[in-house]
């Protein structure tokens, strides 16, 4: 815990208790009194704690934060603080078009302005659905006010005909069954709907569960927070404790910069591998690192985390869902195993004021089938492989979801293990894919490789979850349910496809995928970490010249924000941040916003 020679001065006093500027103090005070607050409440030295409310009717995965905020308020009040609740920009993964990722940076910018420009001493960040978590943490990192994360928790388990139906994950299987003619449209809709039986975010280890787990692994949530199912009583209880702790961290002056160290980010990387986390995690964690000023490269995800084993038996990489994961001990049990194996930075400071090692030292797994011991994992080396070559400078592959069937078909050639070659079939955006995937003239067979381009931060815009493409219906009927998929977009964290994703740079800015043509031979070598078009260098150079002459092409921006983001957004490997934004760090310590009258 940071040592402070004296009690920190409350930032809110600059608004509500500033005798050096009575005119402005009166102006700020009078309007905040008009709905019933008293002058004493605003001037007696109570920390003012913001509740960044991400729940709304547009955000069903986070909507229960509207209720949880009441318990947060009670915790803030009982600890001697004053709560100010305000809305954040909605980001619902399954509702926002063209992609929720487009709004992550918009929500980030909005929250930065609120945290810096209003009379707040600290903030509770309410998170849940995928992009709400990084957007909130990125903003807290930039402003550097005392901040604590309260996740909303996963839904209860989904069930379909006696089998677990994992949110998101079941969609991909249902699509195959529907395409093969084994499931009607009505059954398809009913099956997918069965996977979302309650309030909360995805009950699988998709991006939502991953990012809230990594918020805890970074040290920004109270221990055990991430895994509690949304409807459980423990969720409201930890909301209350989070409110109490929010007041305390203001008094202790415990800020994101004290917690978000290089050690914390390495803890997040190894935790991500152990839980079978989403391929979207490197994008968001790298973005947070850039906003707090910690050096973190995409290659670090392999060097730090690739050899970490898969410990959590949870869909899509395993069998169980969120309720069993919570009852088995949740993230603290996973971190306990990593600590015992020497894979965790035990000294990393966390939001409860303790060290990570002390927090999880006694948090043993309660079910060794759901959360495995480090020495008996579901899979060895379960982290991300980072690939490069003439197709892209970097892309990632999630190894924890490589199935036995995929491994035998593509990675088990006796004279060439862990490598495969194939004929490329290229699609320019998901519309092109859906229009042509069943076209027999493409000659797609079990040796083909499907490519998606035009799906990155600039090309889509925002980068879409469209790379995990299913094979043509004719192949699915033959029992071939997956082909190698590669692209400059993303895929849902709930997908079990071992796609090669997040290719950087993307095609529209001249990445190698822009030069690829249907019919080219492509080689992927996981041993060497390479991905290359197998054509002569002279031909590749000629295609590069042709691309340069023609210039980049992508759909026109449909809104002002799409155009603004496209002009300044970075690539997926570098966190898809707004390039001008990363120079603004610790802004609450560097300056005071000017008065408004």
């Amino acid at each position: 815990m940071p040592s402070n020679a004296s009690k920190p001065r409350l930032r809110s006093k600059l608004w509500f208790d500033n005798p050096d500027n009575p005119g402005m103090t009166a102006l700020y005070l009078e309007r905040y009194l008009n709905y019933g607050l008293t002058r004493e409440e605003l001037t007696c030295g109570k920390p003012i704690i913001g509740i960044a409310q991400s729940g709304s009717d547009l955000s069903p995965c986070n909507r229960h934060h509207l209720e949880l905020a009441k318990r947060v308020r009670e915790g803030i009040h009982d600890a001697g603080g004053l709560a100010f609740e305000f809305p954040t920009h909605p980001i619902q993964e399954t509702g926002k078009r063209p992609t929720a990722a487009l709004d992550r940076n918009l929500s980030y910018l909005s929250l930065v302005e609120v945290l810096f420009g209003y009379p707040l001493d600290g903030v509770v960040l309410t998170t849940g659905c995928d992009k709400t978590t990084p957007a909130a943490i990125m903003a807290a990192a930039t402003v550097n006010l005392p901040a604590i994360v309260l996740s909303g928790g996963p839904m209860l388990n989904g069930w379909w005909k006696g089998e677990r139906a994992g949110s998101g994950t079941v969609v991909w299987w249902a699509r195959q069954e529907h395409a093969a003619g084994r499931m009607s449209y009505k059954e398809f809709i009913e099956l997918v709907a069965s996977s979302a039986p309650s309030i909360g975010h995805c009950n699988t280890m998709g991006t939502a569960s991953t990012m809230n787990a990594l918020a805890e692994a970074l040290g920004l949530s109270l221990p055990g927070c991430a895994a509690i199912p949304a409807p459980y009583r423990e969720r409201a209880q930890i909301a209350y404790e989070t409110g109490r702790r929010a007041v305390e961290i203001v008094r202790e002056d415990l800020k994101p910069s004290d917690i978000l160290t290089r050690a914390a980010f390495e803890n997040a990387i190894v935790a991500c591998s152990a839980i079978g986390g989403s391929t979207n995690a490197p994008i968001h964690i790298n973005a947070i690192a850039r906003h707090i000023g910690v050096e973190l490269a995409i290659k670090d995800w392999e060097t730090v985390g690739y050899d970490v084993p898969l410990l959590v038996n949870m869909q899509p990489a395993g069998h169980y869902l969120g309720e069993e994961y919570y009852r088995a001990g949740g993230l603290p049990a996973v971190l306990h195993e990593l600590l015992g194996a020497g894979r965790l930075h035990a000294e990393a400071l966390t939001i409860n004021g303790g060290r990570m090692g002390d927090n999880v030292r006694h948090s043993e797994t309660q079910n060794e089938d759901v959360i495995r011991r480090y020495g008996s994992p579901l899979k060895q080396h379960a982290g991300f492989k980072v690939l490069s070559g003439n197709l892209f400078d970097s892309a990632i592959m999630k190894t924890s979801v490589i199935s036995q069937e995929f491994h035998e078909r593509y990675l088990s050639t006796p004279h060439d293990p862990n490598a495969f070659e194939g004929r490329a079939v290229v699609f320019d955006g998901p519309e092109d894919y859906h229009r042509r995937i069943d076209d027999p003239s493409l000659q797609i067979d079990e040796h083909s490789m499907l490519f998606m381009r035009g799906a990155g931060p600039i090309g889509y815009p925002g980068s879409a979850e469209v790379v995990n493409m299913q094979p043509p219906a004719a192949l699915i009927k033959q029992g071939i349910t997956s082909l190698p998929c590669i692209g400059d977009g993303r895929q849902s964290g709930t997908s079990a496809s071992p796609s090669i994703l997040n290719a950087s740079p993307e095609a529209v800015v001249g990445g190698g995928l822009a030069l690829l043509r249907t019919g080219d031979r492509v080689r992927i070598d996981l041993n060497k970490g390479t991905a290359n078009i197998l054509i002569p260098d002279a031909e590749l150079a000629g295609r590069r010249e042709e691309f340069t002459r023609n210039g980049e092409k992508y759909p026109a921006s449909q809104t002002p924000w799409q155009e603004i983001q496209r002009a300044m957004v970075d690539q997926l490997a570098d966190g898809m941040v707004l390039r001008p934004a990363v120079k603004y760090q610790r802004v609450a310590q560097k300056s005071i916003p000017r008065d408004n009258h």
Side-chain angles (χ1 to χ4, degrees):
M1 195 181 309
S3 60
N4 298 291
S6 60
K7 185 177 178 180
R9 175 178 169 82
L10 292 179
R11 190 170 175 270
S12 58
K13 282 184 172 291
L14 295 173
W15 278 258
F16 299 135
D17 191 16
N18 187 5
D20 294 332
N21 194 344
M24 289 309 307
T25 300
L27 185 65
Y28 297 132
L29 268 173
E30 60 92 10
R31 205 50 56 99
Y32 281 92
L33 300 178
N34 78 352
Y35 63 95
L37 287 175
T38 68
R39 180 181 174 186
E40 181 184 8
E41 287 178 286
L42 293 172
T43 61
C44 70
K46 290 183 176 183
I48 296 180
I49 308 298
I51 303 174
Q53 177 56 264
S54 63
S56 73
D57 290 350
L58 286 176
S59 304
C61 290
N62 291 29
R63 193 180 186 281
H64 56 296
H65 275 302
L66 296 172
E67 292 298 317
L68 288 174
K70 298 174 184 176
R71 293 296 287 146
V72 177
R73 281 179 173 274
E74 290 164 354
I76 291 170
H77 176 270
D78 289 355
L82 188 62
F84 276 21
E85 187 174 345
F86 60 89
T88 61
H89 182 84
I91 320 178
Q92 176 59 36
E93 188 63 38
T94 56
K96 170 64 193 233
R97 299 169 73 174
T99 171
L102 183 68
D103 284 16
R104 188 203 68 180
N105 289 338
L106 183 58
S107 180
Y108 153 77
L109 287 176
S110 172
L111 186 52
V112 165
E113 292 303 312
V114 172
L115 297 183
F116 181 64
Y118 281 88
L120 300 174
D121 300 305
V123 65
V124 175
L125 306 169
T126 66
T127 67
C129 190
D130 302 12
K131 314 302 183 295
T132 62
T133 307
I137 297 175
M138 288 159 58
T142 293
V143 181
N144 206 34
L145 286 184
I148 185 170
V149 172
L150 173 67
S151 53
M155 296 180 284
L156 300 178
N157 289 4
W159 294 91
W160 173 260
K161 296 182 178 179
E163 297 291 332
R164 289 174 181 82
S167 53
T169 297
V170 77
V171 173
W172 317 119
W173 176 78
R175 283 180 175 176
Q176 293 172 2
E177 293 298 291
H178 187 247
R182 295 188 291 266
M183 181 178 290
S184 70
Y185 172 78
K186 183 175 182 291
E187 288 176 313
F188 176 88
I189 297 299
E190 288 177 350
L191 168 56
V192 175
S194 74
S195 70
S198 76
I199 58 172
H201 61 66
C202 283
N203 49 33
T204 49
M205 191 55 74
T207 305
S209 289
T210 299
M211 289 310 303
N212 290 296
L214 299 190
E216 186 177 326
L218 285 169
L220 292 173
S221 289
L222 293 178
C225 179
I228 303 169
Y232 280 26
R233 66 182 183 185
E234 290 89 347
R235 177 55 62 190
Q237 290 169 347
I238 206 162
Y240 173 81
E241 294 300 333
T242 298
R244 289 188 60 90
R245 184 60 189 155
V247 177
E248 294 169 355
I249 62 175
V250 170
R251 290 175 173 150
E252 296 166 8
D253 198 26
L254 181 59
K255 301 179 294 295
S257 59
D258 300 314
I259 293 172
L260 295 176
T261 62
R262 171 73 187 199
F265 284 102
E266 291 191 359
N267 283 346
I269 290 174
V270 298
C272 188
S273 298
I275 64 179
S278 167
T279 49
N280 289 301
I283 302 168
H284 301 317
I285 294 297
N286 287 8
I288 295 167
R290 292 192 70 184
H291 283 296
I292 201 68
V294 170
E295 291 292 328
L296 193 69
I298 190 64
K299 190 65 177 178
D300 289 330
W301 286 81
E302 180 175 333
T303 56
V304 174
Y306 171 65
D307 65 342
V308 174
L310 177 63
L311 303 183
V312 176
N313 186 7
M314 185 173 172
Q315 297 179 25
H319 175 69
Y320 295 104
L321 294 172
E323 288 189 81
E324 290 95 351
Y325 174 55
Y326 170 64
R327 291 172 185 158
L331 186 70
V334 178
L335 297 179
H336 172 85
E337 292 299 316
L338 295 171
L339 178 69
R343 300 307 300 263
L344 205 64
H345 292 289
E347 77 284 357
L349 182 64
T350 70
I351 202 67
N352 69 351
R355 304 289 170 174
M356 181 62 77
D358 294 332
N359 288 348
V360 303
R361 200 170 306 280
H362 304 293
S363 302
E364 294 193 36
T365 178
Q366 301 301 302
N367 184 330
E368 293 187 23
D369 189 40
V370 180
I371 299 176
R372 300 291 183 88
R373 298 289 185 181
Y374 192 91
S376 55
L378 279 81
K379 181 177 291 188
Q380 298 285 358
H381 302 141
F384 298 125
K385 286 291 294 184
V386 179
L387 306 172
S388 62
N390 62 21
L391 277 170
F392 37 71
D393 291 345
S394 73
I396 63 170
M397 185 177 190
K398 181 178 176 178
T399 62
S400 64
V401 293
I402 297 177
S403 67
Q404 186 63 32
E405 184 263 347
F406 189 94
H407 189 275
E408 289 175 359
R409 188 187 310 153
Y410 299 110
L411 300 173
S412 298
T413 304
H415 66 278
D416 195 19
N418 295 318
F420 56 96
E421 295 183 13
R423 174 179 171 272
V425 180
V426 184
F427 299 100
D428 289 301
E431 296 84 3
D432 183 35
Y433 160 76
H434 288 297
R435 184 172 60 251
R436 295 196 297 131
I437 183 60
D438 290 315
D439 184 347
S441 69
L442 291 177
Q443 301 179 20
I444 300 174
D445 60 22
E446 66 270 25
H447 304 296
S448 300
M449 301 167 67
L450 306 182
F451 285 82
M452 175 70 70
R453 65 188 176 198
I458 295 173
Y460 200 73
S463 183
E465 296 185 341
V466 293
V467 176
N468 49 325
M469 299 165 280
Q470 69 181 27
L475 285 185
I476 293 174
K477 291 175 182 177
Q478 296 173 28
I480 299 170
T481 59
S482 64
L483 293 174
C485 297
I486 303 169
D488 58 7
R490 302 173 296 111
Q491 78 178 26
S492 170
T494 64
S495 173
S497 170
S499 306
I500 296 173
L501 308 154
N502 307 354
S504 302
E506 62 186 296
V508 299
V509 298
L513 289 176
L515 314 180
L516 184 67
R517 297 176 181 173
T518 293
D520 287 343
R521 297 285 296 178
V522 171
R523 176 175 173 81
I524 307 297
D525 191 326
L526 299 186
N527 297 316
K528 297 178 180 178
T530 55
N532 290 297
I533 317 172
L534 301 179
I535 61 174
D537 290 345
E539 182 174 351
L540 197 63
R543 293 185 188 181
R544 170 71 62 192
E545 290 179 9
E546 181 182 352
F547 174 85
T548 303
R549 283 197 306 272
N550 294 335
E552 59 189 48
K553 296 178 180 178
Y554 49 77
S557 295
Q558 299 165 307
T559 66
W561 172 240
Q562 289 183 15
E563 181 175 342
I564 291 168
Q565 168 146 301
R566 275 174 156 160
M568 61 182 69
V569 73
D570 224 330
Q571 292 293 296
L572 292 174
D574 297 314
M576 203 176 72
V577 297
L578 301 176
R579 288 187 300 272
V582 296
K583 66 177 177 285
Y584 293 93
Q585 297 175 7
R586 296 162 173 78
V587 299
Q589 286 78 52
K590 291 180 178 178
S591 60
I592 297 168
R594 298 169 74 180
D595 285 315
N596 58 28
H597 284 78

